[in-house]
Amino acid sequence: MKSRLILLSMVAGALSFTACNKGVTEETKTSMATFEASWTETGNNAATFGTDLTNEYNKCKEHCDKQTAMMNTMPEKMKKDAAMMSKMTEMDNADHTNLTDLEGMTKDYTAFKTSWDQMSTDYNTWKEKVNKGEVNNEEAVNAMKEWNTKLENAKTQLGTWNTAYNTTKENTEKSMAACDDMVNNMNKPATPPAKPAKPTPPTKKK
């Protein structure tokens, strides 16, 4: 009798072990597939954002470098024009403020991208375990809650950055355009004064 109870206990334990390791349900698989599609889309959006941010930063930095060099080599006669120098300094400060903002965004994005790539690797490693049946459904469901939280946090972060970046980009483009217009006007040759009109000869009487 005792032996029979031990045997029944072993069989029940084996069945329980098998049930816990038979893999995940179709519902969980669908949840994973939905998550992966959204994760990929968010990753693509992040990459697009990063590329545009990098391009704008490089454009602004090149502009600021040229502007600084131009101001340093400006003829003394122009430097004595207080009104013009005040305006140029104002524009130069605005450009460098925008550059600083873009640089800060670039650093934040680089850190985000590093973390994102690592999380993507971690998810793929975990998914391999799921496919091998090493993760039971309850564990998978709990893990997916954490993964979806990470995904939503990333979406929120990107949304916040996009809003701030669009404002900074608009300010940067306007500032650079205004500065370029001023420099172009400075480099235009002075328009010579108009020649006085020749007097009309009196009409001869017949």
Side-chain angles (χ1 to χ4, degrees), residues 48-139:
T48 299
F49 169 81
T51 298
D52 197 75
L53 172 61
T54 299
N55 290 339
E56 189 67 19
Y57 170 77
N58 290 337
K59 181 179 179 181
C60 185
K61 187 175 187 311
E62 181 181 2
H63 174 85
C64 287
D65 290 344
K66 287 183 178 179
Q67 185 169 284
T68 299
M70 184 270 292
M71 292 180 69
N72 289 338
T73 57
M74 188 179 295
E76 288 299 323
K77 183 178 180 180
M78 289 187 177
K79 290 182 180 180
K80 291 179 181 180
D81 187 334
M84 184 193 69
M85 289 303 298
S86 176
K87 187 62 178 177
M88 288 198 68
T89 300
E90 179 185 341
M91 290 182 174
D92 186 59
N93 289 340
D95 285 337
H96 278 85
T97 296
N98 293 328
L99 182 64
T100 299
D101 290 343
L102 290 170
E103 185 175 13
M105 291 179 185
T106 300
K107 289 180 179 178
D108 288 342
Y109 173 75
T110 299
F112 168 87
K113 186 65 168 57
T114 300
S115 176
W116 179 266
D117 289 344
Q118 184 58 57
M119 286 192 294
S120 297
T121 299
D122 292 343
Y123 177 80
N124 288 330
T125 300
W126 175 79
K127 183 182 177 182
E128 288 181 8
K129 294 181 179 180
V130 173
N131 292 338
K132 292 178 181 178
E134 298 175 3
V135 179
N136 64 45
N137 193 66
E138 183 179 357
E139 292 171 337

Side-chain angles (χ1 to χ4, degrees), residues 32-44:
M32 290 174 63
T34 300
F35 164 81
E36 289 165 15
S38 185
W39 185 273
T40 299
E41 181 182 9
T42 302
N44 290 338

